[in-house]
Amino acid sequence: MKKEKNPQNIIDPLLIEVRKEIEETEESLGMPIIALFSPSSDELSGEISYPAEYFIAEQLKKIKEGKGLSNEEKISQLGILLSSKGGNFPTVLNIVKLIKENCERFSIIVPGKALSAASLLALMGDELIGSKDSVFSPFDPRVNNFTNPKTPTVSVSDIIAILSQNCSYEEKAASLLSLYKNTDPIVMAQALRARNQIKSALLERLKKKKLSEKTIENLLTLFLENDLPHNSLLTISDIKESGMKVTELSEIDSNKLKRIIDLLADYSLPVRGQQLLDFYKKGNSCFLNFSLLPLLTFSADGGLKSIRRDVISTYCGDREKVSLPAISIQLSMPFDYSVKP
């Protein structure tokens, strides 16, 4: 990292490389691709949230324009390159609706991680494309009380785990009472309602995909009704064993897609913690500006559309004693950001 330059100066060349990699993958897979990415590192963790609906809609519009299609015409086949730890379940359902209204068919491509709500999105495509390294997780909606942010989040599996304990009725009642005392009962009802909504939407979509009743039952059990903890990991093999067909990526395409994800991760977090320390240890400047992107989409036609938070970091103390907690970091409010490389 060159300490005399703003790290954001490297963004344009990086995005040009992302576009080049996506265009090569589009040619290999035979479909336009929209990347939907939220970082999940120790330093920056994002999620699929409601702005993604707008970003996907804009990307679809740009792809149609690039293909010379009218607003009423549909894209014959679309690929969603997905990498996310999850997010908002209603947003995922809205994204699926948007895509279906604008595309005849769509494939979800998962070269690595698609957890929680991202797993739901993966199952709702017309085709799931993955590799041996693809990982998913159960749908375990966690909700909190927006009127009281300090209220602990609750998942349905928390409640079911108590009811499933091999203990007396009195002990179960005591455990539920403890949960009730620490959690707003409205939050508990929200969790149960969210689970039912997810099941209903997934069941409807799987039936439209004309999967067998046995496969649908297996998928619901695997992702929703086994009551596995939120952080349990599921693999492509688990999905295949349920009876659902999965298209496997070639090693070349898999490596290329992972490269795209790595580039997007570098773009979303251009300055890592160690880089920040090195900047202040080895330089004389008292501030460094950069930007974080907790959610982004990218396509060859539409470029980058994302949520951005600008950061100003400052440190004017002893360079030998600098530590991450000693560095002051101020974040801007999130705002929409677009780049056409």
Side-chain angles (χ1 to χ4, degrees):
M1 183 179 67
K2 295 182 180 181
K3 59 191 178 186
E4 73 274 14
K5 288 189 176 182
N6 184 325
Q8 289 298 82
N9 288 342
I10 68 169
I11 282 181
D12 285 352
L14 189 150
L15 289 183
I16 290 172
E17 185 175 357
V18 170
R19 184 174 62 182
K20 177 177 176 292
E21 297 282 356
I22 284 183
E23 286 174 337
E24 291 178 359
T25 306
E26 288 179 337
E27 185 175 349
S28 175
L29 298 181
M31 67 182 88
I33 291 173
I34 299 174
L36 174 57
F37 174 81
S38 64
S40 55
S41 66
D42 293 337
E43 296 162 301
L44 177 62
S45 185
E47 63 179 22
I48 300 172
S49 54
Y50 73 90
E53 300 171 24
Y54 166 73
F55 299 151
I56 293 292
E58 288 296 303
Q59 296 288 7
L60 290 167
K61 179 181 177 181
K62 292 297 183 181
I63 290 174
K64 283 187 175 183
E65 290 176 359
K67 289 183 170 293
L69 299 175
S70 67
N71 286 335
E72 291 72 28
E73 293 178 290
K74 289 189 174 184
I75 301 164
S76 59
Q77 177 79 29
L78 177 75
I80 299 292
L81 172 57
L82 178 62
S83 178
S84 174
K85 71 169 188 176
N88 183 273
F89 285 97
T91 293
V92 165
L93 299 180
N94 288 339
I95 287 174
V96 171
K97 183 177 181 180
L98 273 171
I99 295 172
K100 290 300 294 180
E101 287 178 352
N102 289 276
C103 304
E104 297 291 348
R105 283 178 53 82
F106 72 102
S107 303
I108 304 296
I109 309 165
V110 183
K113 182 185 300 182
L115 307 180
S116 191
S119 291
L120 176 62
L121 179 55
L123 290 186
M124 297 189 84
D126 295 297
E127 177 187 32
L128 174 58
I129 303 176
S131 72
K132 59 181 177 61
D133 299 321
S134 305
V135 291
F136 309 86
S137 73
F139 313 142
D140 185 23
R142 306 184 69 86
V143 295
N144 58 12
N145 190 343
F146 294 108
T147 62
N148 183 9
K150 294 182 179 180
T151 301
T153 60
V154 170
S155 69
V156 175
S157 63
D158 295 331
I159 302 170
I160 294 177
I162 292 174
L163 297 175
S164 302
Q165 290 176 354
N166 185 19
C167 59
S168 67
Y169 173 82
E170 288 75 14
E171 290 172 313
K172 290 181 182 180
S175 296
L176 284 172
L177 181 60
S178 176
L179 181 64
Y180 177 82
K181 286 181 177 178
N182 292 290
T183 306
D184 191 318
I186 295 176
V187 172
M188 298 174 69
Q190 287 175 333
L192 290 167
R193 183 166 60 250
R195 182 188 178 97
N196 290 335
Q197 289 173 340
I198 291 167
K199 181 176 180 179
S200 176
L202 180 60
L203 183 60
E204 179 182 357
R205 179 68 182 135
L206 293 178
K207 286 181 177 179
K208 287 183 178 180
K209 291 169 64 173
K210 298 182 179 179
L211 299 180
S212 70
E213 290 186 6
K214 183 61 176 175
T215 297
I216 292 174
E217 179 184 347
N218 289 341
L219 288 170
L220 290 175
T221 299
L222 181 64
F223 281 92
L224 196 59
E225 295 176 349
N226 263 347
D227 301 319
L228 295 172
H230 193 77
N231 57 356
S232 298
L233 293 182
L234 302 171
T235 66
I236 283 289
S237 296
D238 293 322
I239 295 176
K240 285 182 176 180
E241 289 173 6
S242 73
M244 179 173 167
K245 180 182 177 182
V246 178
T247 302
E248 292 198 36
L249 290 162
S250 68
E251 185 174 353
I252 293 175
D253 286 336
S254 179
N255 290 336
K256 188 174 290 292
L257 289 165
K258 289 175 184 176
R259 170 66 177 159
I260 293 171
I261 297 301
D262 288 342
L263 289 170
L264 293 177
D266 289 341
Y267 173 69
S268 67
L269 180 61
V271 178
R272 309 280 172 163
Q274 187 58 52
Q275 288 177 300
L276 200 56
L277 281 174
D278 291 342
F279 177 84
Y280 287 113
K281 281 181 179 180
K282 300 175 183 179
N284 296 318
S285 177
C286 289
F287 70 94
L288 177 66
N289 297 340
F290 55 97
S291 297
L292 306 176
L293 281 79
L295 170 68
L296 65 85
T297 65
F298 190 94
S299 73
D301 289 303
L304 172 81
K305 300 185 186 301
S306 71
I307 294 175
R308 172 170 161 176
R309 301 195 72 177
D310 289 336
V311 179
I312 180 168
S313 67
T314 58
Y315 180 79
C316 297
D318 188 333
R319 301 287 163 164
E320 297 296 323
K321 297 181 179 179
V322 63
S323 62
L324 285 176
I327 299 172
S328 174
I329 296 179
Q330 298 294 325
L331 298 174
S332 72
M333 292 293 291
F335 61 94
D336 292 351
Y337 179 65
S338 298
V339 173
K340 178 67 175 179

